[in-house]
């Protein structure tokens, strides 16, 4: 694994916008000199490294499914801040094995040892368009003789064919609260993969979904019944909404309700309980840092690196935010590796149960947040 420099393609902005990354100008806070999509640098991996990472990611995925089984069997919903009224429905969703599509592991990796799990974005992961589509076309334009860890698109299409969903169109739901367009483009891309798999689809805003109390069903603006829906809208928001009690019992949602267990950072502590000392895990506890001298406190339901606190013998570093009401997990802290002063976090995609590809975000800080930039990667041919 190494970081290399290159010359951006002429007109790269229009190129990536035409490939779906229309939100790249708005994906960053104002005032940053570095663009969100940065093809002036990229990372290079060997095939052996990628093969090893694929095996580790699929093992982590299996471990997470075992952790979900443990949480349901032991009734540990309070550790995940699941409302009491929803706990039984989460259990039922798991016991039914409600269908699931994809997720993204965030990993610490420097090329010299096993990857370390930082968190699992199992409910509403983004950076999908740039991982699946945009960096693939960059590879074809700039390094056509090399490969890339990227079968995301093909696996998504195949996964849609595998899913057993109710008859009728599958709705694809985004939220009108999305100010950058990232969520709308992600949902549109996933809708396209479903259509390529032969599924009938239609788009809808979450805010436009209605509850037909007489017939006890969700409907869209045309009064069509919503039998199945992909939603880029986290379950903790749905459970807090007025229609949350109906949502857990009606319609097939992707991602399913049981993914609320895997998208919650309490998962990190449960994994450490079940697999203490595992080479792909960092120590993590729900009741405090215990004997950790360096740790990071992460809100159970935080996003974009907000409301975190890094504690080391050298001091304390915090990020602003309003998360944390539900509690925190305390995870052993190992700084992301530094490559020329930039720290990459590897976003490893899982589609169904298979490792599917890689997206890399990097930042100069200790915590990857909304100021990070996405950079492409390639696999060097021997």
């Amino acid at each position: 694994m190494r970081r290399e420099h290159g010359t951006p393609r002429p007109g790269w902005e229009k190129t990536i916008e035409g490939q779906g990354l229309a939100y790249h100008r708005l994906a960053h806070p104002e005032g940053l000199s570095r663009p969100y999509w940065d093809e002036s640098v990229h990372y290079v991996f060997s095939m052996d490294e990628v093969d090893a990472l694929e095996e580790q990611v699929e093992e982590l995925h299996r471990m997470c499914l075992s952790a979900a089984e443990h949480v349901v069997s032991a009734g540990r919903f309070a550790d995940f801040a699941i409302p009491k009224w929803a706990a039984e429905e989460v259990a039922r969703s798991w016991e039914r094995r409600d269908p699931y599509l994809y997720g993204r592991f965030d990993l610490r990796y420097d090329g010299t040892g096993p990857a370390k799990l930082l968190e699992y974005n199992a409910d509403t992961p983004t950076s999908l368009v740039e991982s699946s589509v945009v960096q693939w076309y960059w590879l074809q334009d700039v390094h056509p003789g090399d490969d890339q860890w990227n079968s995301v698109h093909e696996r998504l299409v195949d996964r849609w064919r595998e899913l057993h969903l109710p008859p009728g169109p599958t709705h694809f739901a985004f939220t009108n609260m999305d100010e950058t367009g990232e969520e709308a483009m992600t949902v549109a891309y996933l809708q396209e993969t479903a259509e390529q798999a032969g599924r009938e689809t239609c788009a809808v805003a979450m805010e436009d979904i209605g509850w037909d109390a007489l017939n006890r069903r969700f409907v869209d603006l045309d009064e069509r019944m919503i039998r199945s829906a992909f939603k880029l809208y986290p379950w903790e928001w749905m459970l807090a909404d007025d229609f949350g009690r109906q949502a857990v019992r009606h319609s097939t949602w992707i991602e399913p309700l049981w993914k609320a267990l895997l998208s919650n950072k309490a998962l990190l502590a449960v994994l450490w309980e079940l697999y203490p000392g595992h080479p792909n895990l960092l120590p993590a506890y729900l009741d405090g840092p215990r004997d950790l001298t360096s740790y990071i406190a992460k809100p159970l339901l935080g996003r974009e690196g907000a409301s975190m606190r890094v504690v080391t013998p050298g001091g304390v570093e915090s990020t602003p935010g309003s998360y944390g009401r539900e509690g925190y997990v305390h995870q052993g802290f190992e700084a992301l590796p530094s490559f020329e002063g930039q720290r990459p976090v590897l976003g490893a995609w899982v589609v169904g149960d298979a490792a599917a590809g890689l997206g890399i975000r990097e930042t100069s800080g200790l915590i990857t947040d909304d100021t990070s930039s996405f950079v492409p990667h390639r696999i060097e041919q021997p």
Side-chain angles (χ1 to χ4, degrees):
M1 178 183 180
R2 67 180 187 271
R3 187 176 192 260
E4 289 194 351
H5 294 259
T7 302
R9 294 165 293 175
W12 63 268
E13 297 96 335
K14 292 186 181 298
T15 297
I16 67 173
E17 289 165 8
Q19 294 163 354
L21 199 56
Y23 50 86
H24 72 99
R25 300 178 192 273
L26 299 175
H28 261 179
E30 293 183 2
L32 297 179
S33 59
R34 188 181 184 190
Y36 170 67
W37 167 270
D38 187 359
E39 61 181 63
S40 69
V41 295
H42 66 274
Y43 283 84
V44 184
F45 296 84
S46 70
M47 185 59 75
D48 287 343
E49 286 176 318
V50 170
D51 288 343
L53 284 168
E54 283 188 328
E55 292 180 5
Q56 293 170 58
V57 166
E58 291 185 357
E59 181 175 5
L60 282 169
H61 176 67
R62 290 190 295 268
M63 290 160 58
C64 289
L65 297 181
S66 296
E69 174 66 32
H70 165 77
V71 172
V72 171
S73 298
R76 296 183 60 180
F77 302 105
D79 287 339
F80 289 71
I82 301 292
K84 289 183 178 180
W85 64 264
E88 184 176 342
E89 297 298 338
V90 175
R92 288 175 177 170
S93 174
W94 171 253
E95 290 159 359
R96 290 192 302 263
R97 297 302 192 270
D98 286 346
Y100 55 102
L101 181 66
Y102 76 136
R104 191 192 77 227
F105 286 104
D106 282 352
L107 306 172
R108 181 199 185 278
Y109 181 71
D110 61 9
T112 64
K116 299 289 187 179
L117 174 62
L118 302 176
E119 62 182 78
Y120 190 14
N121 299 276
D123 185 16
T124 57
T126 52
S127 75
L128 181 64
V129 174
E130 43 269 59
S131 296
S132 177
V133 178
V134 181
Q135 70 169 343
W136 176 255
Y137 283 112
W138 166 86
L139 181 77
Q140 305 311 305
D141 289 345
V142 182
H143 296 279
D146 283 347
D147 202 352
Q148 193 174 81
W149 182 12
N150 190 356
S151 59
V152 176
H153 185 89
E154 296 82 2
R155 290 187 183 276
L156 284 170
V157 173
D158 289 344
R159 183 62 175 172
W160 283 116
R161 294 191 180 110
E162 295 169 358
L163 295 183
H164 298 289
L165 298 177
T170 296
H171 286 70
F172 282 76
F174 56 92
T175 172
N176 287 328
M177 293 186 294
D178 174 24
E179 296 179 350
T180 67
E182 179 178 13
E183 295 182 11
M185 291 304 299
T186 301
V187 171
Y189 170 64
L190 284 164
Q191 183 175 353
E192 180 183 343
T193 63
E195 290 173 349
Q196 288 184 18
R199 292 196 175 275
E200 181 185 357
T201 72
C202 56
V204 64
M206 288 294 295
E207 292 81 2
D208 290 335
I209 294 176
W211 173 247
D212 178 352
L214 179 63
N215 296 299
R216 298 188 61 77
R217 62 183 186 176
F218 286 104
V219 295
D220 62 18
L221 287 174
D222 295 322
E223 298 295 323
R224 287 177 297 188
M225 179 179 178
I226 298 176
R227 292 185 170 90
S228 65
F230 173 89
K231 46 86 185 169
L232 204 66
Y233 193 83
W235 268 109
E236 63 263 27
W237 294 3
M238 292 183 71
L239 296 180
D241 280 345
D242 292 339
F243 64 83
R245 292 177 184 265
Q246 286 78 35
V248 300
R249 298 184 180 93
H250 299 274
S251 300
T252 296
W253 302 96
I254 302 171
E255 296 297 311
L257 179 56
W258 62 263
K259 279 289 194 83
L261 301 177
L262 301 192
S263 62
N264 186 306
K265 294 180 184 66
L267 171 71
L268 301 171
V270 172
L271 286 171
W272 188 252
E273 290 178 29
L274 299 177
Y275 305 96
H278 191 283
N280 295 124
L281 299 178
L282 293 165
Y285 308 104
L286 288 171
D287 58 358
R290 297 193 186 180
D291 58 350
L292 297 173
T293 56
S294 294
Y295 65 90
I296 180 169
K298 298 180 176 181
L300 299 186
L301 298 174
R303 293 177 177 275
E304 292 285 1
S307 304
M308 292 191 179
R309 187 174 75 259
V310 177
V311 179
T312 67
V316 178
E317 182 174 324
S318 301
T319 59
S322 57
Y323 298 105
R325 291 187 302 274
E326 299 82 6
Y328 289 79
V329 67
H330 300 80
Q331 183 184 47
F333 177 72
E334 293 184 15
L336 292 170
S338 177
F339 290 78
E340 301 178 304
Q342 294 293 321
R343 300 181 183 275
V345 62
L346 272 59
W349 293 94
V350 173
V351 177
D353 298 307
L358 175 67
I360 301 175
R361 290 170 299 148
E362 64 175 17
T363 181
S364 59
L366 295 177
I367 297 173
T368 306
D369 56 18
D370 61 357
T371 67
S372 63
S373 291
F374 189 100
V375 299
H377 78 278
R378 62 187 175 94
I379 302 171
E380 193 170 42
Q381 296 302 299

